[in-house]
Amino acid sequence: MYFDGSLNLYGARAVIFFISPSGDHLRYDLQIHFPASNNATEYEACLHGLRIAVELGVKHLLVYGDYAL
């Protein structure tokens, strides 16, 4: 799982990208509807990604962000 959060003039958003062992790709784009710092958007992206992985039944997960948590 790769994740990133960002702020821009239009608000905060997060992107979560999954790559399966077989090479399948799954992307989620999230719009964050509350005032947030850049760090908060990163944490939201990570948390949402972990929730999605649980819902998908993922048993083993490598997590990569753009900085060390």
Side-chain angles (χ1 to χ4, degrees):
M1 177 182 92
Y2 295 87
F3 69 90
D4 191 19
S6 64
L7 293 174
N8 60 33
L9 294 174
Y10 306 106
R13 67 181 285 246
V15 177
I16 302 148
F17 193 68
F18 292 95
I19 302 173
S20 73
S22 63
D24 295 324
H25 294 81
L26 184 60
R27 179 184 168 132
Y28 287 89
D29 290 290
L30 304 168
Q31 183 70 37
I32 298 174
H33 295 284
F34 57 86
S37 67
N38 196 48
N39 286 343
T41 61
E42 296 283 341
Y43 288 123
E44 286 296 320
C46 183
L47 288 172
H48 281 287
L50 294 174
R51 288 181 188 124
I52 292 166
V54 168
E55 290 294 320
L56 292 172
V58 173
K59 300 294 183 200
H60 300 281
L61 183 67
L62 298 175
V63 179
Y64 300 98
D66 68 337
Y67 68 94
L69 291 175

